[in-house]
């Protein structure tokens, strides 16, 4: 945060009179709505700034002691004084607490390693802070009940430039930084997803064909037959192979497995033959499962690529510890709602069976695709959550646009497997 920019913003705020709202909207971002203007104070260390009247994704709700104090001391407060010294902005307010009026200050420190937001009383005793700092760490502890010590004065060396419109300047700065952050998050998730896809593709490519497995089965059966016929020729179980003639008179070397009893060699190769035959029957299922996983991850990647906001990306970044332990169903979080998506037909069938009557079901209209369930916990689902869940239904149905139908699970009649009938429903048109 440049000191001369901070002074311009302080001048912009000094014309205001009343703080309408005060809340934290992200880990290190605080919103003050002063008169009708929204100021976003980003206190991220090494990347701090102030933005005026921007659209900001509110990704979390905060209820820590700092947030409670911020709301109590500054919502509906009268702005008395605005002061910018070096890279520290201080707002002094008067709050009417009903039975008394109280003077409080909030200090935004854009000072590198000391970057912080500190709430103070009129004697500059710390009431609360965004980041508490212990006295064992610094000469300047930040703890409630302690008088705030001044920071050591530093010589500010920075190049000033012309800023005609401070609001436009902060908005353009935010847009640039936001898009850069968005791209960086996208790259991280996409790189991780690409690694998973490549791993699955390698497994798929290395899978033997059904014909190869059947040939292996026949080979092991031949080994078993010939070994049993020539069992009397095996004199030493430590031999690497036994040499026999096949049924056409050709010499054949049969590898000698490590066995406790030489007489078990026939059973050993018969079992291998059966195993290869069984594997040949299931290889297509294994290939289909891998192909479905790859297709799901490709759609997942498409959802990341087409996300236009960080809050959309956060849907795809569900915490690992809360991941669903179900191979055919993926779990997402939209605001306070758990959203489940069928990754394949098995997942779709399981979702329909497990979902409760009051859950919301979504599916792309008149096309095959992923079933989506919003777990409501008996709460009303906001339209914004429906819209975002509908985007997931479209994304994982490998479609770019379409109508997504939605209704409560109790309105569905299962015809067969994942095929359903429904009469009562609504639709939302989506394009991604």
């Amino acid at each position: 945060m440049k000191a001369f920019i901070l002074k311009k913003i302080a001048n912009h705020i000094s014309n205001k009179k009343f703080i309408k709202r005060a809340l934290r909207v992200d880990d290190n971002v605080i919103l003050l709505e002063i008169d009708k203007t929204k100021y976003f104070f980003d206190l991220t260390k090494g990347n701090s700034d102030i933005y005026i009247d921007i659209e900001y994704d509110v990704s979390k709700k905060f209820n820590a002691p700092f947030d409670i104090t911020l709301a109590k001391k500054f919502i509906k407060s009268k702005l008395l004084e605005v002061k910018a010294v070096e890279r520290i902005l201080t707002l002094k307010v008067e709050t009417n607490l009903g039975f008394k009026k109280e003077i409080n200050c909030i200090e935004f420190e854009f000072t590198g390693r000391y970057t912080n937001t500190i709430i103070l009383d009129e004697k500059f005793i710390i009431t609360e802070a965004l980041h508490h700092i212990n006295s064992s760490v610094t000469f300047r502890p930040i703890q409630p009940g302690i008088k705030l010590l001044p920071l050591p004065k530093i010589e500010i060396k920075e190049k000033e430039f012309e800023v005609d419109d401070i609001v436009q300047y902060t908005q353009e700065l935010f847009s640039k930084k936001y898009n850069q952050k968005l791209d960086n998050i996208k790259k991280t998730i996409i790189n991780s997803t690409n690694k998973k896809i490549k791993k699955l593709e390698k497994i798929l490519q290395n899978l033997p064909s059904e014909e190869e497995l059947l040939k292996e089965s026949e080979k092991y059966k031949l080994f078993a037959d010939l070994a049993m016929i020539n069992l009397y020729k095996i004199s030493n179980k430590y031999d690497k192979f036994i040499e026999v003639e096949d049924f056409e008179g050709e010499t054949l070397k049969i590898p000698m497995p490590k066995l406790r009893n030489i007489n078990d060699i026939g059973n050993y190769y018969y079992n291998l033959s059966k195993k290869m035959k069984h594997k040949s029957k299931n290889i297509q299922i294994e290939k289909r499962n891998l192909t479905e996983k790859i297709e799901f991850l490709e759609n997942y990647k498409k959802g990341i690529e087409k996300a236009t906001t960080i809050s959309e990306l956060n849907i795809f970044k569900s915490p690992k510890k809360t991941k669903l332990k179900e191979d055919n169903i993926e779990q997402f979080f939209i605001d306070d709602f758990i959203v489940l998506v069928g990754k394949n037909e098995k997942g779709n069938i399981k979702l329909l069976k497990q979902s409760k009557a009051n859950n919301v079901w979504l599916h792309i209209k008149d096309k095959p695709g992923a079933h989506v369930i919003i777990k409501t916990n008996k709460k009303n689902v906001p339209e914004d959550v429906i819209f975002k869940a509908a985007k997931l239904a479209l994304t994982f149905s490998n479609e770019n646009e379409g109508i997504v139908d939605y209704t409560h699970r109790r309105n569905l009649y299962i015809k067969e497997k994942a095929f359903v009938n429904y009469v009562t429903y609504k639709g939302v048109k989506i394009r991604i």
Side-chain angles (χ1 to χ4, degrees):
M1 182 81 201
K2 293 187 178 295
F4 83 96
I5 293 293
L6 188 62
K7 285 180 181 178
K8 286 181 179 292
I9 293 172
N11 289 334
H12 194 272
I13 297 173
S14 64
N15 296 321
K16 312 295 180 183
K17 296 178 180 179
F18 185 75
I19 298 179
K20 182 181 176 184
R21 281 200 298 166
L23 72 154
R24 183 155 50 130
V25 293
D26 214 330
D27 290 335
N28 295 297
V29 182
I30 292 157
L31 163 63
L32 295 184
E33 187 173 346
I34 310 175
D35 290 352
K36 294 182 179 180
T37 306
K38 296 176 183 177
Y39 297 87
F40 292 84
F41 300 83
D42 185 349
L43 282 301
T44 304
K45 285 185 180 179
N47 199 24
S48 58
D49 264 305
I50 302 173
Y51 315 110
I52 305 171
D53 278 342
I54 57 162
E55 291 297 323
Y56 196 93
D57 298 323
V58 179
S59 57
K60 298 178 185 178
K61 291 181 181 178
F62 298 90
N63 199 33
F66 171 81
D67 305 291
I68 295 167
T69 305
L70 179 68
K72 181 181 177 182
K73 304 287 186 183
F74 293 92
I75 290 179
K76 296 181 181 179
S77 63
K78 183 181 178 182
L79 186 60
L80 301 178
E81 184 183 358
V82 181
K83 184 169 62 175
V85 178
E86 296 179 347
R87 292 194 177 98
I88 299 173
L89 177 69
T90 307
L91 306 185
K92 186 177 181 181
V93 303
E94 180 185 83
T95 310
N96 191 341
L97 299 176
F99 57 93
K100 66 172 183 176
K101 291 182 179 179
E102 190 176 88
I103 303 297
N104 294 290
C105 295
I106 186 164
E107 186 161 292
F108 298 98
E109 299 186 348
F110 302 91
T111 50
R113 60 180 291 194
Y114 298 108
T115 298
N116 206 344
T117 302
I118 305 166
I119 298 171
L120 308 145
D121 66 13
E122 60 183 323
K123 294 181 180 178
F124 258 57
I125 303 297
I126 299 169
T127 309
E128 257 303 339
L130 184 61
H131 303 295
H132 290 189
I133 304 173
N134 196 285
S135 57
S136 62
V137 178
T138 178
F139 77 95
R140 186 177 182 253
I142 306 295
Q143 297 286 340
I146 297 174
K147 188 175 180 67
L148 183 65
L149 298 175
L151 279 168
K153 290 190 176 183
I154 58 168
E155 185 183 353
I156 294 176
K157 296 179 180 179
E158 60 184 24
K159 289 183 179 179
E160 295 190 16
F161 47 84
E162 197 67 34
V163 177
D164 296 325
D165 187 331
I166 191 62
V167 175
Q168 184 181 343
Y169 169 81
T170 66
Q171 290 173 348
E172 289 174 355
L173 179 65
F174 173 76
S175 180
K176 182 181 177 182
K177 289 169 72 172
Y178 185 90
N179 289 332
Q180 188 176 17
K181 185 179 178 181
L182 184 71
D183 288 342
N184 288 340
I185 297 171
K186 280 187 179 184
K187 284 175 185 175
T188 301
I189 303 174
I190 288 170
N191 287 341
S192 174
T193 307
N194 280 335
K195 286 178 183 178
K196 292 177 185 176
I197 291 171
K198 284 180 181 178
K199 186 177 179 180
L200 291 172
E201 285 177 339
K202 189 174 181 180
I203 295 170
L204 182 61
Q205 288 167 5
N206 291 333
L207 283 179
S209 67
E210 189 176 350
E211 293 76 16
E212 288 171 333
L213 290 168
L214 286 172
K215 282 182 182 178
E216 286 284 294
S217 176
E218 289 298 318
K219 181 181 78 172
Y220 291 136
K221 185 178 182 301
L222 178 63
F223 283 0
D225 291 342
L226 293 174
M228 293 301 291
I229 294 169
N230 295 279
L231 195 61
Y232 68 95
K233 291 183 180 180
I234 305 173
S235 58
N236 189 345
K237 67 178 182 179
Y238 297 108
D239 289 341
K240 289 185 178 180
F241 58 85
I242 56 172
E243 195 171 288
V244 299
E245 285 188 359
D246 65 15
F247 297 116
E248 295 176 359
E250 298 289 333
T251 300
L252 182 68
K253 289 183 178 181
I254 300 174
M256 186 68 190
K258 291 180 180 180
L259 300 168
R260 288 185 179 181
N261 190 332
I262 293 173
N263 295 329
D264 290 337
I265 188 169
N267 286 334
Y268 174 81
Y269 278 115
Y270 280 133
N271 286 334
L272 270 182
S273 175
K274 287 177 184 176
K275 187 178 178 181
M276 291 300 108
K277 194 169 186 179
H278 180 74
K279 195 171 181 180
S280 72
K281 290 179 181 178
N282 292 312
I283 197 68
Q284 293 305 323
I285 297 172
E286 193 173 350
K287 284 183 177 180
R288 186 171 69 249
N289 287 341
L290 285 167
T291 302
E292 285 175 347
K293 286 179 181 179
I294 291 168
E295 184 180 339
F296 180 85
L297 286 173
E298 289 287 0
N299 286 330
Y300 184 93
K301 190 170 72 171
K302 184 181 77 173
I304 297 294
E305 289 169 341
K306 295 201 172 185
T308 56
T309 65
I310 291 173
S311 64
E312 278 187 75
L313 286 182
N314 287 338
I315 294 171
F316 291 87
K317 287 173 59 189
S318 300
K320 288 182 181 178
K321 64 181 179 181
T322 57
K323 281 286 186 182
L324 196 69
K325 293 180 180 178
E326 169 57 60
D327 197 40
N328 298 307
I329 297 172
E330 188 73 14
Q331 179 173 267
F332 298 92
F333 290 84
I334 301 177
D335 296 343
D336 294 327
F337 293 88
I338 294 174
V339 180
L340 305 175
V341 177
K343 297 168 76 171
N344 49 34
E345 186 181 46
K346 284 183 182 178
N348 288 337
I349 292 169
K350 189 164 280 191
L351 272 183
L352 290 170
K353 286 181 178 178
Q354 293 180 349
S355 53
K356 295 181 180 179
N358 60 0
N359 290 164
V360 175
W361 169 88
L362 304 95
H363 192 278
I364 188 169
K365 191 178 189 68
D366 298 333
K367 288 183 180 180
H371 289 249
V372 176
I373 291 289
I374 304 173
K375 297 180 80 170
T376 61
N377 294 323
K378 298 181 180 179
K379 293 191 295 185
N380 290 326
V381 183
E383 286 185 14
D384 185 52
V385 175
I386 295 283
F387 183 81
K388 289 174 181 176
K391 271 192 169 184
L392 291 179
L394 201 67
T395 297
F396 292 107
S397 299
N398 200 21
E399 296 287 342
N400 293 320
E401 60 181 314
I403 294 172
V404 175
D405 290 340
Y406 65 96
T407 186
H408 283 104
R409 169 64 182 86
R410 60 174 167 265
N411 296 325
L412 301 182
Y413 168 72
I414 300 174
K415 290 164 58 180
E416 181 187 5
K417 293 184 178 179
F419 294 96
V420 298
N421 279 340
Y422 53 97
V423 178
T424 305
Y425 66 94
K426 292 181 180 179
V428 56
K429 193 171 183 180
I430 301 288
R431 186 172 184 174
I432 56 175

